[in-house]
Amino acid sequence: MPHWLDRTRWLWPALLTLAITLVQIDRAPLWRDELATWSAASRPTGDLLRLAAHIDGVSVAYYLLMHGWIELFGDSVPALRLPAALSLAGAAALVAVLGGRLYGGRLGLVAGLLFAVLPSTSRYGQEARPYALATLFAVLATVALVDALARPGWWRWAGYAAALVGLGLSHLLATSLVLGHAVVVGLAWWRHRDRRYARWLPALVPAVLVLAPLARLGRDQQARQLGWVRPPTLADLPDLPGDLLQNGAVGGLLVGLAAVGLVTLGRRGPALGACVLLPTALLYVGGLFTPLWVPRYLLFTVPFGCLLAAGPLAALRLRWALPIVAVAGLLGAPAQASLRRTHETPRSAPIDYPAATRIIDAHQRPGDGIVYSPRDMRGFLDVAVAYYLSDRQPRDVLLVRGPVADASLAATECPRPAECLSGVNRLWLLTRGNHRAAPLSGTTPAKAAALRPFRIEQTWPLPGLTLTLLTR
């Protein structure tokens, strides 16, 4: 590999990641989890901390970061998603750096470019959630660990400790990477018998001290936050690469190449494999007993899979290795197109919040009210309307206390809808799902009874939603 390319090997994966991720970054509507980010991060700091005491406490550091970001750059869709794109561009650069330090510049460059073209990199680089930031800290912590093992000075161990704290604050479950790091340190000690490697243990102490209160808070809130997560089964394991990477063909290709790399990369291959397999095993086993098994929680392991997969490719000349990277990109092209239409999971129907709010904005009149059904954290219908319409939204006629007042992500509604609808003559009804034939069937019995005095003027069936205009 030319000397100039070796010296700039970190730059090209970062630029490629940004170039791909920024394409149509604002096309897909904000989905449920991103609306939660906006709802939390757009609150005053005191209200945000009160929210964290009740729900989503493990994400409070990310929400505080996004709060400051919104203050500086606003809350448009591109602005909300840009930190994730920058985080994964940084992760791609660090993958190239880590690969170069372990195996040479060619492997680092190929691994970084492979990471850049994966559909999962675009998917989570276009999402206002903390997984991209956790991936950045995961690679940064591993680079810091490799440096500390090469030259075991206290300052390098301090840098590693700081990166671990950042990793846990961005996503608590990502600290399971420490299991892989334990294998890295153990193998290094077995080879060199350097007592200074024992400094790894004190380097874990700051993370334990900072993250232990967060872990206790997350444990107390787990039932409210992750009650929807089902236990994993053995059938989930073959689907994991495709679910995580957003495309089964790309997942199969990466797993196949990584398996070859695990065998051919020598003594460091098992260490990289441990950084992928041990966090996965912990999440799977833990998910059997408590709600944990969500494939996207393992995004931070993907860079290490790319380093393994680059092993057999780096044995080739660049002019042969790069076309294989391009093949991975082409295999992921359908997923790249799909994720720019919707960020809903493949098993969920797309939900077009912007289409509903455009219709409301175009047809509403002064004095209009709006009713949501269901009103919960699964759909965030009210949060979506608040985001897209801001102060132009119709009056929320059933609202008793908003999410900010409740220190929650959900609002409290009027327990007697018929009374709260008195005096309202024109009403919008926004429901989740397709209820074109019978719009009131998408509501609760109490709301349906309260809406019987209204006549249906028009119904708009939309992706994942039904919007109905009613008059008394």
Side-chain angles (χ1 to χ4, degrees), residues 11-320:
L11 178 63
W12 310 110
L15 291 178
L16 182 60
T17 299
L18 274 180
I20 296 174
T21 305
L22 293 179
V23 173
Q24 297 181 326
I25 194 171
D26 61 344
R27 183 183 175 191
L30 294 180
W31 79 295
R32 177 192 65 206
D33 285 14
E34 291 180 291
L35 289 169
T37 294
W38 174 77
S39 176
S42 59
R43 304 177 187 205
T45 304
D47 291 323
L48 173 51
L49 295 176
R50 285 199 309 120
L51 169 73
H54 292 86
I55 192 170
D56 243 359
V58 294
S59 301
V60 65
Y62 173 71
Y63 289 154
L64 288 170
L65 174 67
M66 290 300 295
H67 177 83
W69 179 271
I70 289 172
E71 289 290 323
L72 291 174
F73 302 106
D75 63 355
S76 66
V77 174
L80 289 173
R81 290 173 174 170
L82 185 58
L86 295 174
S87 294
L88 288 188
L94 288 173
V95 167
V97 170
L98 180 59
R101 294 186 184 179
L102 292 177
Y103 297 105
R106 184 185 300 173
L107 187 145
L109 177 63
V110 172
L113 294 175
L114 184 60
F115 178 78
V117 303
L118 294 177
S120 55
T121 301
S122 293
R123 169 65 177 82
Y124 297 104
Q126 291 191 350
E127 180 173 272
R129 293 300 289 170
Y131 311 116
L133 188 62
T135 303
L136 172 64
F137 275 114
V139 189
L140 178 62
T142 309
V143 171
L145 177 62
V146 169
D147 282 352
L149 291 173
R151 291 171 291 177
W154 280 111
W155 283 110
R156 290 186 174 83
W157 287 113
Y160 171 69
L164 279 185
V165 171
L167 177 63
L169 290 176
S170 56
H171 193 225
L172 191 60
L173 289 176
T175 54
S176 58
L177 179 64
V178 170
L179 298 175
H181 287 179
V183 174
V184 174
V185 174
L187 291 174
W189 181 86
W190 183 262
R191 186 179 183 205
H192 299 290
R193 306 287 176 164
D194 191 331
R195 293 181 179 179
R196 292 176 297 175
Y197 292 168
R199 295 174 182 175
W200 177 70
L201 291 173
L204 302 180
V205 172
V208 173
L209 294 177
V210 172
L211 301 177
L214 207 60
R216 287 196 298 269
L217 184 62
R219 182 194 60 195
D220 294 340
Q221 297 176 354
Q222 188 178 32
R224 294 193 298 275
Q225 193 166 331
L226 294 175
W228 56 273
V229 177
R230 62 172 180 81
T233 66
L234 289 176
D236 291 320
L237 293 178
D239 294 335
L240 178 60
D243 289 343
L244 181 57
L245 300 179
Q246 305 292 299
N247 181 274
V250 175
L253 176 63
L254 191 72
V255 168
L257 290 172
V260 176
L262 187 64
V263 176
T264 60
L265 284 178
R267 57 185 173 82
R268 288 172 174 155
L272 287 173
C275 291
V276 177
L277 297 176
L278 292 182
T280 302
L282 180 65
L283 195 69
Y284 181 89
V285 174
L288 297 174
F289 302 97
T290 188
L292 287 178
W293 181 254
V294 182
R296 62 178 174 270
Y297 291 173
L298 292 168
L299 181 70
F300 69 92
T301 66
V302 172
F304 308 106
C306 289
L307 286 165
L308 285 171
L313 301 183
L316 309 172
R317 292 184 177 273
L318 276 180
R319 64 171 178 264
W320 297 112

Side-chain angles (χ1 to χ4, degrees), residues 236-464:
D236 291 320
L237 293 178
D239 294 335
L240 178 60
D243 289 343
L244 181 57
L245 300 179
Q246 305 292 299
N247 181 274
V250 175
L253 176 63
L254 191 72
V255 168
L257 290 172
V260 176
L262 187 64
V263 176
T264 60
L265 284 178
R267 57 185 173 82
R268 288 172 174 155
L272 287 173
C275 291
V276 177
L277 297 176
L278 292 182
T280 302
L282 180 65
L283 195 69
Y284 181 89
V285 174
L288 297 174
F289 302 97
T290 188
L292 287 178
W293 181 254
V294 182
R296 62 178 174 270
Y297 291 173
L298 292 168
L299 181 70
F300 69 92
T301 66
V302 172
F304 308 106
C306 289
L307 286 165
L308 285 171
L313 301 183
L316 309 172
R317 292 184 177 273
L318 276 180
R319 64 171 178 264
W320 297 112
L322 294 182
I324 299 176
V325 173
V327 167
L330 290 174
L331 287 174
Q336 294 276 8
S338 176
L339 65 88
R340 284 165 173 80
R341 291 191 295 270
T342 178
H343 282 183
E344 300 293 336
T345 62
R347 297 178 181 87
S348 303
I351 301 179
D352 197 345
Y353 300 115
T357 53
R358 284 194 299 267
I359 294 170
I360 294 172
D361 200 28
H363 296 281
Q364 69 174 319
R365 298 175 185 172
D368 281 5
I370 189 167
V371 170
Y372 305 99
S373 189
R375 187 165 198 155
D376 56 23
M377 292 188 294
R378 291 178 298 161
F380 281 141
L381 303 180
D382 53 338
V383 178
V385 171
Y387 174 78
Y388 284 104
L389 290 183
S390 187
D391 56 356
R392 305 189 312 278
Q393 59 184 309
R395 182 167 66 93
D396 193 343
V397 291
L398 297 184
L399 181 67
V400 174
R401 286 189 311 276
V404 176
D406 270 354
S408 174
L409 293 171
T412 299
E413 283 197 326
C414 174
R416 295 179 294 277
E419 295 179 15
C420 294
L421 289 177
S422 63
V424 179
N425 295 317
R426 198 167 184 266
L427 192 64
W428 296 91
L429 173 63
L430 184 59
T431 56
R432 191 171 64 239
N434 184 359
H435 305 286
R436 180 177 185 178
L440 299 190
S441 66
T443 68
T444 64
K447 288 181 182 178
L451 293 172
R452 286 196 187 102
F454 289 82
R455 178 181 61 219
I456 295 173
E457 294 290 341
Q458 190 170 351
T459 299
W460 292 266
L462 302 167

